[in-house]
Amino acid sequence: MIAEPNTLPSQKENAVHDEPVPESAVQNGSCVRNGNLKTPREKRKVREQCENIRRNSSSSRRVSQLQNGEVVEAVTLFEVVSMGKRAMQSVVDDWVEAYKQDRNVALLDLINFFIQCSGCQGMVTAEMFQSLHKKDVMRKMTETFDEETGLQYKKFMAYPWILTVTWPVDMDNEDYPLIRTGPYWKKFKTNFCEFIAVLVQQCQCSILYDSYLMDTIISLLTGLADSMVRAFRHTSTLAAMKLLTAVVSVHLNLDVNKHNAQRLYEVEKKRISGKRTTYRLDQLERKKKEYEQKLLEVQNMMNAIFKGTFLNRYRDVIPEIRATCIEEVGSWIKTYPDAFLNDSYLKYIGWMLYDKQAEVRLKCLLGLQGIYSRKELVSRMDLFTSRFKDRIVSMPLDKDHEVAVQAMKLLMLMSQNCEDVLSAEDCETLYLFVYTTHRPLAVAAGEFLYKRLLSREGDEEVQPKGGGKFGASSDQLKRLIRFSLESELHKHVAYLIDSLWDWAGKFLKDWECMTTLLLRNGEENGEALSDAHESVLIEIILATVREAAEGHPPVGRGATKKILSVKEKKIQLEDCTKITEHFIVVLPQLLAKYSTDAQKVANLLQIPQYYDLDVYRTGHLEKHLDALLREVKDIVAKHSDLSVLEASSRTYYILCSEEIAIYSQVDRARTQLIDELMGQLNQLLGGFWQKEEGFCMDAGEISQMNSALRRVAAFHNAHDLTKWNLYDKTLRLLVFEMEHGSLPVLMILPALQCTYFSLLWQLAAVSENSPKETLFALRRQLRRFSQICTWFLHHKEKDVREKAFMILCDWLLILSHQDSNDNEEAVGLLYYLPSTSLQEKLLLFIQKHVFTEEEEESKDLTEEEERKDESCKLDDLHKKRSLLAAYCKLIVHNVVEMTAAAEIYKYYVKTYNDFGDIIKEMLSKTRHNNKIQSAKTLILCLQQLFQTHAESQDRSSDVDFSSASFTNIKELARRFSLTFGWDQVKSRESVAMIHKEGIEFAFQGAAGVDGKCLPPNLSFLLIISEFSNKLLKPDKRLVHAYLQRYITEPLPCRGDDWQPLIFYRNSLLANEDEESSVLGSPGEWSPVGTSKTSSFKRKLSNGSLPETSQTKAASKAPDLQCAAQLASVAGKSRKRLKSREVHLQEHLPFLCPGGLRRRYCKDEIKTEDVSKEGQAEDAIEDVDVDVVGADQDS
């Protein structure tokens, strides 16, 4: 044990007398009594003792003690609690017995326990406080660092002792048990809290009131809670709060016992004098006074802990400490509301609702939930509710998801237990959270909506005027429909249903009620549904069917599909059967009723995809299948809307599964329908070709042709129509347009689509036995269609150009990525990559139609016209994003050369809001495919922009670094740098390649760098300096060495011409204190910075700091300073650099000089040796990170 330095003088000065410390109080060795350590050997001995204690802390043992004549070797209390192998009750009982035998020894053991729980591997010494000069002693209660011993110590009062805690300096590394990760340390925290609770519980009948135990513990925890060391402060605050929580429970029990004793005393006093005994009354009177005395002592303990610890720590800078304080306040209020449920304590929870840390806000909300969940307590919360209600109502918008969820749950409790606390405006705001993408928050809002608006008391008893068995469900459905319409977000019905699913699943699965409302609408005396109400109800039906059948949230809410349990799978199968049995009968009726409404029919036709098709056969319901097919056929004949046609085609596709018994029946109906559609198309085409020479079609004929082509295209998407020879018919139309250019757009678009689908089906039909003649014919057709699409890229109509581009991109992607498992010869014949000219045309199309902004004409528009204009702009942006995404897929899948991405990257910053996510994803994928080539593409983009900038400048003048174009290039380089993220090891090759290519470009065209001829691209070094902070320190040295190869002679560093080179070199040598002196040229390149040393680790000979500053000394004698740095660092730096450069040349060979590469070509060194050190050293350099490809493989 190490005593506090300079102990003896302070004892004399403050008249504090030492009392002999018990032997067992000496932890892990003997006590070093000499506070004045003069010699280096004594100092070294002190440090070695501390290090030995730190190394052996996990297996430390207390000195042996004699018990009943036997030697017992016991572990420390800290180890017993942390391991948790013994029941906490027995651990506390053992300590209480030891306390009763020798309270000083046991109490010092407990003090050591708290110190060790703080992660302190130091010492604790104690001296008895017997002086009345408290002010002098308190003046010495300090925490400081002793330069003599290199130790830090804290001296404070733990009455009746003065404790000195001594620990090594590295205690400040913020690594202590409470914040360590893993199950072991999580269990330790639980055991630690349990130990304090059980300790108070076991002591409440005896030693808790001895005016010694609690006074010492409270003084200890209060003193540690004032420490500047986080570990002491955090651990002691947690202990103090748990101690106060346990004492509150004791206070509550005493209060109950006191009231019971008072009642017994009153009963005994009211007895008649003959039966009343004075002895009994006196006994009850003494017991009552005893309880009162204990209550007074416990109250004093509570006040001491609250004022000494809580009031100082609830605003601590460490969020964990603040969270601990607020959590325990909520516990006190719930445990003992009579004492704590008042504004004096509630205000702290209210104030912390505004805390910057989500953890603290979350503890506040959880504490308030425990209060508002009890109706008997809510009536005493009026002032708090009125003061902080607005803050709580706003917290579902919190950026932390868990805080937002708990805030919504708290508002649910407030709504249930507080009358009229939430206004109608508050509720309307909270209802809309059912549409949020974060599902837990949406589900909590769904509970609020269901219980507040949809489900009302007595709903199940209320019957509508028309009677029937759907009274409650129909009323709830109508309220749900009205809410969906009033919220003006009815397009998100799937999100609304998903939010309500956990709370309103019973009535949302009442499909019989829903369909009855639709089929019998207006027949009953009840309120009839409007057309808008019917549309929303059909959307609700579709959403509920999908939720029940799939069992997972809709797209956009939840990253992955939910894994269903056995019970959930059983419910899902039952729901699917229920859906099938009901809608097999009802769906044909609904389709017949709404056959003319395209939106309703499109939604209803999506229901069959969730059928269990075996029910048709097992339930003998084939007649209902005929009715469904008949209705679908009529709908196809009536509608040309694409959504209706695609839904109809998908319905036939689902019902035409070959392994289902109804296949033959559905296949006949499908063939009959397609025959009719092709007959109509052939008739229209025949009439068109007959008057080809004098081509003239009226609007009606064009509409009929468009409808026929759209119907065929919709079915050709899901069904193979090759036997109807559709390819020749549609190809003739496209060729006619290329030759004459007179076809309307309404005919060109579906013709392109049909031709594309025809070729896809032929391509899918290629098998191992396909003859070569067929393959050659198909190859000619594929090339021909590619040429047609290329021609349509220049069509006068915008819609045709965009459709041709989308089809061409998908077409090229399919042709270049065919499956070769079946027929490798066929794949070789049909394989196709775009030519260079085609790649240029695709890129030019993107530049012209995606990144070119259309000039807007300033017009005075009405509000309705502005809304339509905004909608058109959004649609146009969506089309542009689709075009860009299609082209980026070609680059990612190596259909188009990666260098084409350089042209796209130029628009990264300028169009970040509209296309930034697409470009960033392309960058991520290309980097994953080929790191080096991706890096070359980035630097190529910057080089092209720089050359454009240089050409725009006056050749006689220098490059203007402040110009907008140069600033934009530098900003683009910064954004590229941020995409590499934190993992410098993962991106080291890419970043090094960027520097290599950048250096070569910067010195390109320099005719002998002799200090007279300035390289024309030298200012490009300013741009690639943005990537310097992404280099590992060893890589910086290697890049600097590569840079030096282009500088053969010392350069005069005067003027602004060479500033880019100086700036770039400094960016490579930043924070290279010692190494920069070794690598740099001592004459012309001055060292960047000086070595950093810890002043408190050096002891000056005269005991004071020098008067002359370090910078002045450096300016007076730069040569001496440089020589001193070289002499002190050269040896170890060269050794370290040699080992690192040997390693680096294997992973970055393009940067290594030839001699170095040849010299170490046979060595094999692993990457991890450098990467961990370099990554740790450079981690602090990045603050702003825009990570690309975070999910990539390392």
Side-chain angles (χ1 to χ4, degrees), residues 25 60 134 165 212 245 254 354 363 410 470 529 563 583 656 686 692 748 757 805 975 986 1101 1113 1162 1182:
S60 60
K134 293 185 178 180
V165 183
Y212 190 78
T245 301
L254 289 174
Y354 297 89
K363 295 299 182 183
L410 174 59
F470 306 117
L529 298 177
I563 300 177
F583 283 98
C656 278
E692 173 185 343
I748 299 174
F757 289 148
F805 182 84
R975 292 289 190 96
K986 187 177 178 182
S1101 59
K1162 296 181 179 180
D1182 292 330

Side-chain angles (χ1 to χ4, degrees), residues 628-638 652 669 672-673 676:
L628 175 62
L629 295 174
R630 188 166 54 250
E631 294 298 333
V632 174
K633 181 179 179 182
D634 292 341
I635 288 171
V636 171
K638 291 179 181 178
Y652 276 103
Q672 182 181 0
L673 174 61
E676 294 180 5

Side-chain angles (χ1 to χ4, degrees), residues 540-671:
I540 290 174
I541 291 175
L542 175 60
T544 54
V545 167
R546 188 207 62 80
E547 188 87 22
E550 293 183 352
H552 59 78
V555 177
R557 179 178 283 178
T560 57
K561 291 186 178 181
K562 180 181 177 183
I563 300 177
L564 302 178
S565 62
V566 176
K567 182 179 179 181
E568 289 173 333
K569 286 182 179 179
K570 182 180 178 182
I571 295 174
Q572 182 185 17
L573 293 175
E574 293 174 353
D575 289 339
C576 284
T577 303
K578 182 180 176 182
I579 289 169
T580 307
E581 291 175 348
H582 178 70
F583 283 98
I584 277 178
V585 179
V586 176
L587 184 59
Q589 303 175 34
L590 292 173
L591 291 174
K593 182 174 181 178
Y594 300 107
S595 60
T596 58
D597 193 317
Q599 180 184 357
K600 295 174 184 175
V601 167
N603 288 327
L604 289 172
L605 284 174
Q606 295 182 49
I607 295 177
Q609 63 182 300
Y610 304 107
Y611 280 1
D612 179 6
L613 298 178
D614 289 330
V615 174
Y616 275 113
R617 179 180 56 83
T618 57
H620 304 289
L621 301 173
E622 287 81 2
K623 63 177 182 179
H624 296 290
L625 177 61
D626 290 333
L628 175 62
L629 295 174
R630 188 166 54 250
E631 294 298 333
V632 174
K633 181 179 179 182
D634 292 341
I635 288 171
V636 171
K638 291 179 181 178
H639 293 274
S640 61
D641 185 84
L642 188 59
S643 61
V644 176
L645 296 175
E646 288 179 348
S648 302
S649 176
R650 181 170 178 79
T651 301
Y652 276 103
Y653 175 77
I654 292 168
L655 297 176
C656 278
S657 181
E658 295 184 1
E659 58 269 14
I660 304 300
I662 60 175
Y663 169 74
S664 58
Q665 182 179 356
V666 179
D667 184 54
R668 285 195 302 270
R670 178 184 62 177
T671 304

